[in-house]
Amino acid sequence: MIGKNVLTFTEIDSTNNYIRLNYSNLNNGDIVTSEVQLYGKGRGDHHWISEKGNLYFSFLLKKEFAFTDMFPLLTVISVSVIELLREYGIEARIKYPNDILVENKKICGILIETTGYQSIQSVIVGIGINVNQIDFGILNEKATSMKLRLNNETDITEILNRFIDIYNKNELIQKETIYTVYKKYSYVIGKYIHLNDEKHRIDNITLDGLLELSSEGHVKRISFNEISLEELYDDK
Ligand code: BTN
């Protein structure tokens, strides 16, 4: 269960970093949120520009995880964001592994970090949802927000509270059930990519988080760090 304690800041470097640095004073399920992040972190060393007006938060899952728990955890988080947006009338999809898109544009990013060396001792989940920002500068072609979809502003605290409720409900649901919902909202299944100059169809995502690709009857399984999904095609 997350969200019994919510620490709120007006300005911070990164909510994920805050949790990492204050780990010993924080408990399982604690949430840290900030109006602005000065060094918001994205995946793969990217910077997550974090101006006032959007939702930036992280939560700590302070318990041991098996490596095989990670993809199911990701499905719970992604499905929770999808359901949250649907409550506001926004239909979003999950771009494997964990970007949330609305009509090809990113509305939410999820950064999962772990602590521990040979085993996972805890997980820090960071989520950025574009809420009231309407100008993304050079990223205008790639990013969107709730306000751009709805034409009106949404209360950021209300969104966080809805996320907490939805996540707490979903984490109790059987992982196979959430996985089925994850696949239903997948943006990538059924699309095509080029790999080693061959066209491959993305047939499936397995419960352990691998992409199942087929090309001329040959099936292969690969993980997200072996491939870029920058260019996805519909069959033409
Ligand atoms: C991505 O690259 O898509 C992941 C972006 C994750 C951004 C969120 S905002 C709250 C939390 N704190 C951070 O520094 N990053 C995550």
Side-chain angles (χ1 to χ4, degrees):
M1 178 170 166
I2 62 165
K4 221 173 111 203
N5 278 319
V6 180
L7 277 92
T8 306
F9 293 88
T10 44
E11 199 172 273
I12 203 173
D13 60 344
S14 149
T15 53
N16 269 46
N17 273 356
Y18 182 90
I19 291 187
R20 201 175 269 283
L21 293 173
N22 295 279
Y23 184 81
S24 50
N25 297 324
L26 294 170
N27 296 312
N28 181 36
D30 283 358
I31 293 185
V32 177
T33 183
S34 181
E35 283 179 19
V36 169
Q37 295 185 116
L38 300 173
Y39 292 99
K41 291 194 291 184
R43 282 176 41 225
D45 290 336
H46 285 116
H47 187 55
W48 188 260
I49 299 164
S50 306
E51 295 170 6
K52 191 173 159 123
N54 298 322
L55 174 60
Y56 312 106
F57 71 103
S58 304
F59 55 91
L60 173 63
L61 300 175
K62 204 172 193 175
K63 56 186 179 189
E64 220 172 292
F65 283 84
F67 289 102
T68 49
D69 293 334
M70 294 312 284
F71 187 69
L73 172 64
L74 197 55
T75 63
V76 172
I77 298 163
S78 317
V79 165
S80 299
V81 173
I82 292 283
E83 290 180 353
L84 167 77
L85 293 170
R86 285 178 78 82
E87 284 193 0
Y88 290 90
I90 297 173
E91 304 244 342
R93 302 216 154 249
I94 308 160
K95 184 169 177 191
Y96 174 88
N98 56 358
D99 284 345
I100 308 296
L101 307 186
V102 178
E103 285 176 6
N104 299 334
K105 294 185 173 187
K106 190 155 159 175
I107 196 163
C108 166
I110 299 166
L111 173 69
I112 298 198
E113 298 182 302
T114 55
T115 71
Y117 181 50
Q118 275 163 340
S119 60
I120 300 173
Q121 294 303 314
S122 74
V123 175
I124 301 166
V125 180
I127 301 181
I129 302 179
N130 298 335
V131 182
N132 294 320
Q133 187 172 352
I134 51 170
D135 187 4
F136 294 89
I138 54 164
L139 295 176
N140 273 341
E141 290 300 308
K142 292 190 165 181
T144 191
S145 68
M146 293 177 69
K147 185 166 178 188
L148 284 170
R149 307 304 304 175
L150 302 173
N151 284 322
N152 52 41
E153 304 224 333
T154 309
D155 183 77
I156 292 170
T157 311
E158 177 191 288
I159 298 173
L160 177 58
N161 289 334
R162 288 306 305 135
F163 179 85
I164 293 169
D165 287 349
I166 296 169
Y167 177 90
N168 285 337
K169 163 187 75 79
N170 283 339
E171 74 162 357
L172 302 175
I173 294 176
Q174 268 203 333
K175 67 179 182 186
E176 288 77 8
T177 308
I178 293 286
Y179 165 67
T180 307
V181 182
Y182 175 95
K183 290 209 294 183
K184 179 172 132 197
Y185 290 119
S186 170
Y187 173 81
V188 305
I189 293 176
K191 288 210 160 36
Y192 290 78
I193 51 164
H194 275 93
L195 193 65
N196 308 328
D197 287 336
E198 276 172 25
K199 186 176 171 190
H200 288 73
R201 182 180 190 275
I202 302 174
D203 288 338
N204 192 19
I205 300 167
T206 66
L207 188 51
D208 44 10
L210 298 176
L211 281 179
E212 229 164 47
L213 308 178
S214 64
S215 176
E216 294 175 358
H218 298 288
V219 177
K220 67 168 88 175
R221 290 179 165 194
I222 56 171
S223 100
F224 65 90
N225 44 26
E226 294 175 74
I227 192 174
S228 154
L229 294 182
E230 216 35 63
E231 304 293 337
L232 288 173
Y233 310 87
D234 287 312
D235 197 16
K236 279 194 206 98

